Amino acid sequence: NAGVTQTPKFRVLKTGQSMTLLCAQDMNHEYMYWYRQDPGMGLRLIHYSVGEGTTAKGEVPDGYNVSRLKKQNFLLGLESAAPSQTSVYFCASLRDNEQFFGPGTRLTVL
Amino acid sequence: DAKTTQPPSMDCAEGRAANLPCNHSTISGNEYVYWYRQIHSQGPQYIIHGLKNNETNEMASLIITEDRKSSTLILPHATLRDTAVYYCIVRNTDKLIFGTGTRLQVFP
């Protein structure tokens, strides 16, 4: 079991560029989540999904889009990156009452 | 989801019990209390959760007051590896909303 994996681990973008972050889980979990964490802050929920083909907005959805075409994958897209989106992005999946987190993606937007 | 209040930081001597408080005075009847921790810059790790009764597992104990307006996470014998940010969260929906947590520093 690889658990929750995130690709890439690091990325530097220029303002206005687009990119997609991939989250994959091999535990057959229905629920998946994307969070961002800014320095010295707690995690903030961007979007989440309660099953294949579904997505829902979290606390800070603006500037991001998501897709859950396959149960095991949850993609987070930035269409036009801004410096304010510089952050560490964490993905998680849920089993019963426990969320399992990935190792994070460190994104810098210049 | 109800909001939680935690002290920003705490210290604890190695080998002693660490008692981390959390206030959730607006909690509703069907909301659970969850605790997670985040070591350095890793992804958060689940510790424990409860609804009304006190809970214990191999990592920690959770004490919830009778009125459910506050709770305490207890690490019975803190080690240096327990140094982390601890998040108290109340949840009744599909999502967890994290606050800023308590930074626990365990010292030798």
Side-chain angles (χ1 to χ4, degrees):
Chain A
N1 253 0
V4 179
T5 58
Q6 293 183 232
T7 309
K9 290 185 170 51
F10 302 93
R11 185 72 186 267
V12 178
L13 289 178
K14 294 181 180 177
T15 297
Q17 286 185 318
S18 64
M19 79 161 294
T20 300
L21 283 67
L22 170 63
C23 176
Q25 52 97 2
D26 60 1
M27 298 173 282
N28 203 35
H29 294 167
E30 291 290 341
Y31 292 13
M32 295 185 74
Y33 306 80
W34 274 108
Y35 294 88
R36 62 175 286 175
Q37 185 173 33
D38 299 328
M41 305 288 287
L43 281 74
R44 290 185 292 170
L45 182 64
I46 305 172
H47 286 281
Y48 65 104
S49 167
V50 300
E52 182 178 312
T54 74
T55 62
K57 294 181 180 179
E59 301 173 272
V60 289
D62 294 342
Y64 304 95
N65 57 74
V66 286
S67 64
R68 184 95 182 271
L69 297 178
K70 292 183 179 181
K71 188 177 184 178
Q72 63 267 34
N73 295 336
F74 194 28
L75 295 134
L76 178 71
L78 287 74
E79 289 185 350
S80 179
S84 61
Q85 294 177 304
T86 293
S87 192
V88 180
Y89 291 84
F90 288 102
C91 174
S93 66
L94 178 71
R95 178 199 68 196
D96 297 329
N97 292 296
E98 182 176 349
Q99 276 193 340
F100 296 82
F101 284 82
T105 294
R106 188 173 297 274
L107 176 67
T108 301
V109 183
L110 302 175
Chain B
D1 290 326
K3 188 173 177 180
T4 61
T5 303
Q6 299 177 252
S9 63
M10 295 182 64
D11 290 339
C12 179
E14 190 177 18
R16 303 297 295 267
N19 297 287
L20 290 88
C22 180
N23 186 293
H24 31 80
S25 57
T26 59
I27 193 170
S28 60
N30 58 351
E31 287 184 314
Y32 283 75
V33 179
Y34 286 77
W35 284 84
Y36 280 73
R37 73 180 182 183
Q38 187 174 25
I39 296 174
H40 195 41
S41 53
Q42 299 174 21
Q45 175 191 24
Y46 167 84
I47 301 173
I48 199 167
H49 76 282
L51 182 63
K52 295 181 188 177
N53 301 320
N54 299 336
E55 302 287 343
T56 296
N57 63 20
E58 64 278 3
M59 288 182 69
S61 295
L62 174 60
I63 308 298
I64 303 174
T65 57
E66 196 166 336
D67 64 7
R68 301 207 328 119
K69 293 185 177 183
S70 65
S71 61
T72 301
L73 179 75
I74 301 173
L75 307 178
H77 306 286
T79 71
L80 298 178
R81 286 175 293 185
D82 291 323
T83 292
V85 177
Y86 288 78
Y87 296 100
C88 168
I89 303 159
V90 293
R91 169 199 168 204
N92 71 344
T93 62
D94 302 327
K95 48 190 197 266
L96 288 176
I97 304 296
F98 286 75
T100 52
T102 295
R103 182 171 297 277
L104 176 68
Q105 179 69 52
V106 180
F107 58 90

